[in-house]
Amino acid sequence: MTRLRGRLLVLQVLVIAMIMVLVVRLWQVQVVQGDRYVTVATETRTREVRVPAVRGSILDSSGRPLVRNRTSLVVSIDRSRLERMPDGGTAVLRRLSPVLGVPYEKLKTQIRACGPGVSKPCWPGSPYTPIPVAEHVKTRQALQILERQEDFPGVTAEIQARRDYPHGKDAVQLLGYLQPVTEQELEKREGLKANYSGVDLTGRGGLEATYDAALRGKPGLRRVQVDRMGKVIRVDQRSNPVPGDILVTSIDERVQRIVEKSLDQAMKETPQSDGAAGVVLDVKTGRVVAMASRPNYDPKVWVGGISEKDYRWLLSDKSGKPLMSRAISGTFAPGSTFKISSASAMIADGASLNGTYECPSSYTAAGRSYSNAGGMSLGSISLHTALEKSCDTVFYKAGYEQWKRDGGEKPTGTPKEPMTHMAKAYGFGRRTGIDLPGESPGLIPSREWKKNLWASMKDTMCRRAKTGYPEMKDAAKAAYAKRLAHENCVEGYIWHAYEAINFSIGQGAVLVTPLQLARAYAALVGDGNVRSPRIGWALVRPDGTLVKEIPVPIEGHLPISDEVRDYIRKALAQVPVTGTAAAVFRGFDFNRVKVGGKTGTAEVYGKNDTSWFASFAPADKPRFVAVVMVSQGGWGASTAAPAVRRIWEGIFGVGKGEDGKPLKPALPDGMPPAALPVIRDGVAAQ
């Protein structure tokens, strides 16, 4: 009996102790930590939903859409929610597959994270971002998902805006593309996280990247109460999204289409060509009227996510790297189009503007002979004729004599290098600063550049001078490469006569982009100011309110007089009439519009010549500059010049079209729009 009482006593003590522990715990939970658990409980029922803003459209100078938005029903999957499920969301994906008509395996690969060893399709964006897996779904499919949320947790169907390109491939590199925001970008890019809705895309190239912040707008916020299945039962707070700004550009869609078609024809007529570019600048303002590059691609490849195969194709050598804009990123020897800089340097260095210059069929200097193009010999001529007829030997002599005055291979003091400094004054050798990413600075070689290059390459060259190039299969080429390595090892820092001579006609190591050349000609035939071109003209709210006009900066002024500029312009005005482009412009109606320009043919080792034509119109009072470059296009007069002629015919309505009818001018008054288009409700008023 005593033993029983003892056991009951122990049990009573244990029960009382347990009750006390429970009471203390309840006190802690309800009193001490009550506020925290109330907050946690509220959070499990409250959701913050960021509502994406409509991305701003991109318009041409008259308000025509270059990029616009189209809405569609999009099904997205929250991968993080599926990963928290016991089966990793397998059951949900298998139920979703027949609804969308998409194989289960494809859905599975679409939502996996991109990373090392994971090829596309995969998701390159944030792991917390809903991943779109099907676009343009039917209403019936969306309702099946929305009405059975218990079967499709983590799956949403909603209307989203998607980019639409009404002009197809036109200006594709210029406009850019969109891709999902990555987790790294959210952390690194200032202001992106605060304005990110979770489903936004960000600009990766072209204008979409440059003006991304303005185009994206600001997302709205909805704070909602949901039940255990995630269905919304009440909206506690709502703020509407702010649509992105509309970007009005200086591009004229009609001129852009003319340039695109002209490049297509140039490429078709020269099957060996592997790329081309065209630029039209407004001389007065420095704004870009049109810009195109070949090869190009269909921008729709980005909509809804790009496959690994398509992405590799855009970057491959076999396809010609269509993702790259040759207008701003491609660098090429400019050939004789560069002579505007060399002629300016000659006059600035003391040559007579009205002097006489010898134009023999070849020029010999430092033991080497340099031939004139086509073996031409014109005797004693003016500088005007040297530009008009493109006499190389006049410039060979000028380049060589300037090199000698600087001390030749053993300069004393600080060399003047007038041709180098003039080229840089024209804006060559540095980026133009255009409002596009990925621009190349080109290259203007100099004595200092040669020394720096030698210092960086000396060890490699000296090693190769000893070992040679055993990996080369061609013995002759290997022997030549070894001899060249020896020369570079011993005297690679020396600026030789042949380099100065080649420089004078835009050959050798001189590299420019088509945009740089267009800017240089605009400065020459305009007011002498070297401008940093712009494509963006203004940012405008959807209601028409002007946010800001985008200025065109002036970077410098040509160090030559108005008299010299006018002299060169008049010489170039004769090129299409009696000069190197006369055959191309035969039959052109110069009474309608006078045209000036300069042909260029640049030699490329192992390839066909690069064809150039830099032109301006009207020749007596220039308003536009047009430059066309065709890689491996041959003579400047054979490929690039005809392409530019087609551009002028289209802009000014000169001649007849393919149907035999008179061409309608793209710019009836020969001028770009002077005022911004009127925007109402997000579109231009017509």
Side-chain angles (χ1 to χ4, degrees), residues 417-672:
E417 296 187 275
M419 286 197 177
T420 295
H421 291 301
M422 184 60 69
K424 291 182 177 179
Y426 266 96
F428 297 118
R430 70 175 187 271
R431 294 178 178 86
T432 68
I434 190 173
D435 47 347
L436 291 176
E439 185 182 13
S440 171
L443 175 62
I444 292 299
S446 65
R447 292 176 182 269
E448 182 182 7
W449 165 81
K450 190 72 182 295
K451 286 182 179 180
N452 292 336
L453 180 64
W454 176 73
S456 65
M457 297 291 292
K458 180 183 177 182
D459 292 343
T460 301
M461 290 295 101
C462 292
R463 177 171 53 83
R464 284 292 191 174
K466 294 179 180 179
T467 64
Y469 293 83
E471 69 274 15
M472 286 188 177
K473 295 180 180 180
D474 190 316
K477 287 184 178 180
Y480 173 76
K482 183 178 181 180
R483 186 170 67 253
L484 190 63
H486 174 73
E487 291 176 2
N488 285 328
C489 171
V490 176
E491 55 179 33
Y493 61 92
I494 296 176
W495 183 248
H496 296 285
Y498 72 84
E499 293 174 289
I501 290 171
N502 282 331
F503 186 105
S504 71
I505 61 164
Q507 290 275 189
V510 178
L511 296 173
V512 307
T513 68
L515 178 63
Q516 286 175 330
L517 192 65
R519 174 172 77 158
Y521 272 74
L524 174 71
V525 303
D527 57 7
N529 287 325
V530 179
R531 292 176 168 84
S532 177
R534 289 293 181 272
I535 299 173
W537 188 359
L539 290 166
V540 182
R541 298 296 302 148
D543 62 4
T545 303
L546 177 65
V547 177
K548 72 171 182 178
E549 190 165 339
I550 301 163
V552 179
I554 295 175
E555 292 190 335
H557 190 83
L558 295 179
I560 53 177
S561 66
D562 292 348
E563 180 188 10
V564 173
R565 290 193 299 104
D566 194 51
Y567 181 94
I568 297 175
R569 178 185 61 79
K570 288 180 178 179
L572 299 183
Q574 287 300 115
V575 170
V577 182
T578 56
T580 54
V584 177
F585 280 85
R586 187 176 293 116
F588 188 86
D589 190 356
F590 289 112
N591 292 324
R592 184 74 176 273
V593 57
K594 292 182 174 62
V595 173
K598 186 74 191 74
T599 55
T601 305
E603 295 180 357
V604 183
Y605 178 75
K607 292 185 177 182
N608 293 321
D609 295 342
T610 302
S611 177
W612 287 92
F613 193 63
S615 184
F616 51 91
D620 50 352
K621 194 175 181 181
R623 184 59 196 260
F624 301 106
V625 161
V627 169
V628 166
M629 179 283 306
V630 182
S631 176
Q632 299 205 79
W635 287 83
S638 65
T639 306
V644 173
R645 173 176 174 161
R646 291 190 291 269
I647 292 172
W648 293 136
E649 289 174 340
I651 289 177
F652 294 102
V654 178
K656 296 181 180 180
E658 295 178 357
D659 57 2
K661 296 181 180 179
L663 286 170
K664 292 183 179 180
L667 302 176
D669 57 357
M671 298 286 183

